[in-house]
Amino acid sequence: MRIVVPVNGSDNNAVISRHFARSTHFAIIDKLAGTREIIENPFASVSKGAGMKLVDFLLNKYKVNTIVAFELGLKVQQVASGKKMQLIIISGKMKQLKHVLTLIFPNDEQIKK
Amino acid sequence: MPRLRQLSRIQLPPRAKSFIPVGYYRDPDYPVQLNYEEYEVFRLLDYEGLTQAEAALIMKVSRPTITRIYERARKKIAQAVTEARQLIIEGGRAFFDGDWFLCERCESHFNNPLNEVVENCPLCQGVYLQQINDRI
């Protein structure tokens, strides 16, 4: 299971973005391998249709099959559902990437640093 | 007897079950019930900025039906805001675009695109799950 989380920042204290396609970075979390990497958003400056391009990019290059976000735009949601990706809409209590990592890896202290 | 209204398709479950007013004049005993399809039309037209024709395609109902649902939704929201009444989102004639669940542990909503048997939350592995589809 490979999960993508939109974040504004490049470490575990990064704030989870309220707008999927406009986040500055993405955290790619591999649940089975127990890894997380943070990549820059290559479509951050694209004015229109960034969400749909992003879903294709994340799916093809990073083999992401799950999107964790606070809010998803209509088009991102439609494209992701069409590609059979799982959507997880998190509660507003989860503010930072470390909160999501704590849920996914409750016993792994290394990855949360 | 008129026929029942066509079922409307809902894409995402609402984030909240209800909205509660705060203040001296609030009236907690008489809530206003906003149906799922009314919430969805309000979201698609006013939040996502779609036209009524685009919303009709997504919700799989006719454009005049969207107009009628939107009219009702606006009236109810205006009533709740003006009279300081609780707004509850429940009921209606709608179906979800796939299965949606709520994890009671991490309070996340998630869908099930591959139609697998769902026993745990994919995020926190919590086992106390509610199927949102049952709320309608």
Side-chain angles (χ1 to χ4, degrees), chain A residues 1 31 68 70-74 77-78 81 84-94 100 103-104, chain B residues 11-12 15 43-44 47-48 50 58 100 106-114 121-125:
Chain A
M1 185 179 181
K31 201 171 172 178
V68 172
F70 184 75
E71 188 68 65
L72 285 173
L74 189 68
Q77 185 198 318
Q78 284 177 330
S81 297
K84 302 273 179 204
M85 293 171 88
Q86 186 167 44
L87 309 175
I88 303 178
I89 312 291
I90 52 174
S91 130
K93 290 177 191 167
M94 282 187 254
V100 175
L103 284 178
I104 299 173
Chain B
Q11 291 204 311
L12 280 181
R15 297 185 73 89
R43 181 180 81 90
L44 291 176
Y47 182 76
E48 296 285 353
L50 300 188
I58 290 173
W100 278 90
C106 68
E107 298 174 356
S108 303
H109 288 98
F110 61 92
N111 68 349
N112 181 23
L114 301 174
C121 168
L123 204 59
C124 71
Q125 302 303 313

Side-chain angles (χ1 to χ4, degrees), chain A residues 20-33:
Chain A
F20 179 75
R22 298 288 165 224
S23 62
T24 58
H25 293 77
F26 289 102
I28 314 277
I29 303 164
D30 193 321
K31 201 171 172 178
L32 289 179

Side-chain angles (χ1 to χ4, degrees), chain A residues 12-71:
Chain A
N12 286 350
N13 290 322
V15 177
I16 297 173
S17 173
R18 293 248 159 185
H19 198 311
F20 179 75
R22 298 288 165 224
S23 62
T24 58
H25 293 77
F26 289 102
I28 314 277
I29 303 164
D30 193 321
K31 201 171 172 178
L32 289 179
T35 58
R36 79 114 176 89
E37 71 177 297
I38 293 185
I39 58 163
E40 279 193 26
N41 180 357
F43 302 103
S45 56
V46 175
S47 59
K48 268 195 169 182
M52 291 182 285
K53 289 175 190 159
L54 260 171
V55 173
D56 278 336
F57 170 76
L58 293 167
L59 189 68
N60 296 332
K61 189 163 180 193
Y62 291 95
K63 311 286 178 218
V64 163
N65 55 14
T66 304
I67 297 177
V68 172
F70 184 75
E71 188 68 65

Side-chain angles (χ1 to χ4, degrees), chain B residues 77-135:
Chain B
I77 293 166
Q79 187 182 23
V81 171
T82 310
E83 297 177 7
R85 284 163 66 172
Q86 183 183 357
L87 193 66
I88 299 176
I89 303 174
E90 65 179 13
R93 291 203 36 88
F95 66 98
F96 274 100
D97 191 15
D99 291 339
W100 278 90
F101 297 87
L102 168 70
C103 171
E104 290 183 8
R105 186 169 168 230
C106 68
E107 298 174 356
S108 303
H109 288 98
F110 61 92
N111 68 349
N112 181 23
L114 301 174
N115 291 322
E116 295 164 331
V117 177
V118 178
E119 290 174 344
N120 299 86
C121 168
L123 204 59
C124 71
Q125 302 303 313
V127 292
Y128 295 105
L129 306 175
Q130 287 179 26
Q131 189 155 7
I132 305 291
N133 308 45
D134 297 342
R135 282 196 199 156

